[in-house]
Amino acid sequence: MSATTSRSGRRGRDARREARASNASRHIPYISRNIPVTNLVSDEALEIIEANAETILEEIGLEFRDDPESLELWKSVGADVQGERVHFPKGLCRQLLATAPAEFTQYARNPANSVQIGGNNTVLAPVYGPPFVHDLNKGRRYGTLEDFENFVKLAYMAPAMHHSGGTVCEPVDLPVNKRHFDMVYSHIKYSDKPFMGSVTAPERAQDSVDMASLVFGEEFVQNNCVMLNLINANSPMTFDSTMLGALKTYAANNQACVVSPFILSGAMSPVSGAGTLSQLLAEAMAGCALTQVIKPGTPVIFGTFVSSISMQSGAPTFGTPESSLVLNGAAALARRLNLPFRSGGSFTASKLPDAQAAYESAQTLLMTLLSGVNFSLHAAGWLEGGLCSSYEKFVMDIDQCAMMEVLARGIDVSENGQAMDAVREVGPGGHFLGCAHTQANFEDAFYRSRIADNNSVEQWQADGFKDTATRANGIWKQMLRDYQAPALDEGIDEALQEFMAKRKSSFPDSNT
């Protein structure tokens, strides 16, 4: 072989490698599902659950604690308020929810990354809320602002993450009452994907709105959704003043609340699936309806976080068939309300990015897609029942998330997808490796995992006997080395920093 031919061959291999890399990282702002949803709960069962939820709302009621304003709002629309307990006339919440949009856009500062929430769309976001972080080198430790920034950067780098998320880990090296400034700023500075605001106090929610207004403009924010925020019901059947304060702030500013009963069945709801679904439907309907009392037409997402517990130890369990059935039933209930739905993710109780973490997460993520979830927190990085954000698990999860996008496309029945020209070319007894159709499509015919090892055992040994977690360790480190920040207007950046400095100096540090 001549030197010219050798160099040409190398160039060809390099070009194919670059093409594969380009295909693997192509930009998809969110998943548009071309496959039908899977319904595991019958219409008859859903009707029973809906009737039971109305009974809970009317007869038992929900408590809205330490928030007289919310109680007055409920009185104004005809609810029966007795102390902090609110009883809802049958059909009231459903009637109020008629003004909520079935689908809406959350705008990103880079318009190419804006997401459509609702309908046949699925938006995947990273882990939310853990106080600890974990990687193979340093082990388990409290999260810091540097870790927070790292996870924002990783989510920005990952095509399968459509959203920057919110509290990707708690930066415990910062004061509790001021860390929200740095968290929101990190989402704006180090990513240009959509993000979430703070919910730990009403004034922190307002700070988030004010910072978003510096980026998008105040008028745009008041007329469009630029932030999601997570409002958890304090199950069973209770909303506390912290969550209500954030909900009222965001709803008044036209920003979408993700109203999510946080339920571990057997502890915070009945052990049965039907009982849990009835309770969470009542809680979600009441919380979502309150946003419409505050500002009719403001976007809201019906959400739920639900799993089971070990009846021996009381510890949360994940990836179980019972939680999959409840997730699927809740998705159907949200569709019957004509609301976008949030649930699912990549859940595991494992303490390490191991086989348990992989199969528990895969069980949950697959049901997330098949059930038609519209917005999914915790899609990457979740470890230890949500107490840990894991670097290696993040990489493992984004690989699975990318597979979900391929699955959601369904079967291609275009002329190219039918491949009849290939069948005619090869005929009986031949093979398809060299035919024109294979040559034209082989680069993107099948999903190519970035993390799986499909080589021979000899090649695997020569590469260092690496398991999945070890390969993931190298990948996240390389991602951070390759990271380049998206452009941010200097004037906006200066305005954000000035706002944060002024607000931080106006009150003392506190860890409450």
Side-chain angles (χ1 to χ4, degrees):
M1 179 183 295
S2 70
T4 302
T5 303
S6 177
R7 285 194 298 272
S8 176
R10 283 198 298 271
R11 283 198 299 271
R13 287 193 296 272
D14 291 343
R16 290 192 293 272
R17 190 178 301 113
E18 289 174 8
R20 287 194 296 270
S22 175
N23 178 67
S25 62
R26 64 195 180 92
H27 178 70
I28 302 167
Y30 53 90
I31 294 173
S32 295
R33 297 189 308 277
N34 292 319
I35 57 175
V37 296
T38 301
N39 290 309
L40 301 178
V41 185
S42 69
D43 288 342
E44 180 184 8
L46 294 172
E47 289 169 4
I48 291 170
I49 289 163
E50 288 172 335
N52 288 341
E54 291 287 356
T55 298
I56 292 170
L57 288 167
E58 185 175 38
E59 294 184 11
I60 301 168
L62 274 63
E63 290 196 357
F64 291 76
R65 293 183 178 170
D66 302 317
D67 196 321
E69 183 182 10
S70 292
L71 299 175
E72 289 300 318
L73 286 168
W74 283 123
K75 283 182 184 178
S76 73
V77 292
D80 178 18
V81 179
Q82 300 177 16
E84 293 186 322
R85 183 78 61 93
V86 179
H87 298 265
F88 305 84
K90 191 161 291 185
L92 174 63
C93 290
R94 193 173 291 269
Q95 177 186 342
L96 291 167
L97 287 170
T99 59
E103 189 172 340
F104 65 92
T105 302
Q106 184 189 356
Y107 291 91
R109 70 177 182 88
N110 177 357
N113 288 330
S114 296
V115 294
Q116 196 74 8
I117 297 178
N120 290 323
N121 308 310
T122 295
V123 175
L124 301 177
V127 61
Y128 183 110
F132 299 101
V133 297
H134 181 278
D135 68 69
L136 294 186
N137 303 103
K138 299 178 182 178
R140 184 181 189 265
R141 61 196 186 280
Y142 278 110
T144 65
L145 180 60
E146 181 181 5
D147 291 307
F148 189 99
E149 293 170 351
N150 283 344
F151 280 109
V152 169
K153 292 173 182 178
L154 290 173
Y156 170 70
M157 295 279 286
M161 284 291 97
H162 313 121
H163 204 277
S164 194
T167 309
V168 289
C169 70
E170 282 285 352
V172 299
D173 54 337
L174 300 178
V176 168
N177 67 334
K178 295 182 180 179
R179 64 179 61 157
H180 65 286
F181 293 110
D182 298 273
M183 294 158 74
V184 172
Y185 177 74
S186 294
H187 284 298
I188 296 169
K189 175 72 173 178
Y190 301 112
S191 176
D192 59 10
K193 293 182 179 181
F195 62 94
M196 304 177 74
S198 174
V199 296
T200 53
E203 62 272 18
R204 297 170 198 168
Q206 188 60 55
D207 286 331
S208 302
V209 172
D210 293 341
M211 292 177 72
S213 296
L214 293 172
V215 177
F216 294 92
E218 185 175 351
E219 182 179 357
F220 189 88
V221 168
Q222 293 304 313
N223 291 287
N224 298 278
C225 178
V226 301
M227 274 189 300
L228 301 185
N229 63 93
L230 181 61
I231 306 296
N232 285 131
N234 193 358
S235 304
M237 294 167 285
T238 303
F239 283 88
D240 63 45
S241 59
T242 298
M243 291 288 97
L244 290 170
L247 179 149
K248 289 184 294 184
T249 299
Y250 283 115
N253 286 280
N254 199 51
Q255 302 308 303
C257 295
V258 186
V259 181
S260 297
F262 183 98
I263 290 178
L264 297 176
S265 299
M268 300 147 79
S269 74
V271 295
S272 67
T276 294
L277 283 167
S278 298
Q279 179 188 310
L280 76 83
L281 177 59
E283 294 173 354
M285 285 206 315
C288 290
L290 183 57
T291 68
Q292 301 307 295
V293 177
I294 295 164
K295 187 172 184 178
T298 193
V300 65
I301 299 174
F302 176 134
T304 185
F305 175 98
V306 62
S307 196
S308 52
I309 63 169
S310 167
M311 299 310 289
Q312 285 72 44
S313 68
T317 56
F318 299 96
T320 61
E322 294 85 3
S323 59
S324 291
L325 286 167
V326 171
L327 187 161
N328 185 266
L333 291 167
R335 283 192 293 275
R336 289 163 69 96
L337 280 169
N338 209 28
L339 292 177
F341 180 61
R342 170 259 162 160
S343 195
S346 297
F347 299 143
T348 181
S350 182
K351 317 307 178 285
L352 294 169
D354 57 9
Q356 178 185 345
Y359 68 68
E360 288 178 349
S361 293
Q363 288 278 358
T364 311
L365 187 62
L366 183 61
M367 186 55 67
T368 299
L369 182 76
L370 296 179
S371 297
V373 170
N374 300 120
F375 179 70
S376 181
L377 272 178
H378 315 304
W382 170 290
L383 197 67
E384 197 189 331
L387 289 174
C388 246
S389 296
S390 164
Y391 284 86
E392 286 78 24
K393 177 74 161 30
F394 189 96
V395 171
M396 293 164 61
D397 289 339
I398 59 175
D399 189 60
Q400 292 292 308
C401 289
M403 291 187 191
M404 294 302 101
E405 191 275 328
V406 177
L407 178 61
R409 294 180 207 161
I411 294 291
D412 176 14
V413 291
S414 67
E415 184 176 348
N416 181 67
Q418 293 175 52
M420 291 303 297
D421 55 339
V423 178
R424 291 188 180 98
E425 177 185 342
V426 173
H431 70 77
F432 289 83
L433 290 174
C435 77
H437 184 271
T438 300
Q439 293 298 307
N441 288 279
F442 81 97
E443 293 285 3
D444 58 2
F446 307 116
Y447 178 78
R448 299 189 183 199
S449 172
R450 188 178 182 183
I451 194 170
D453 186 297
N454 298 305
N455 294 320
S456 67
V457 67
E458 292 81 9
Q459 184 61 55
W460 172 73
Q461 291 170 341
D463 290 340
F465 300 82
K466 295 177 182 177
D467 62 11
T468 302
T470 303
R471 290 193 293 274
N473 179 268
I475 291 171
W476 71 258
K477 291 176 180 176
Q478 187 62 52
M479 289 175 71
L480 291 180
R481 286 193 292 268
D482 292 343
Y483 169 82
Q484 294 182 5
L488 176 63
D489 181 89
E490 289 184 9
I492 291 175
D493 198 1
E494 289 174 4
L496 286 167
Q497 294 192 48
E498 182 181 347
F499 173 83
M500 292 191 294
K502 184 177 180 180
R503 286 284 291 126
K504 286 181 180 181
S505 65
S506 68
F507 53 92
D509 292 357
S510 171
N511 280 320
T512 59

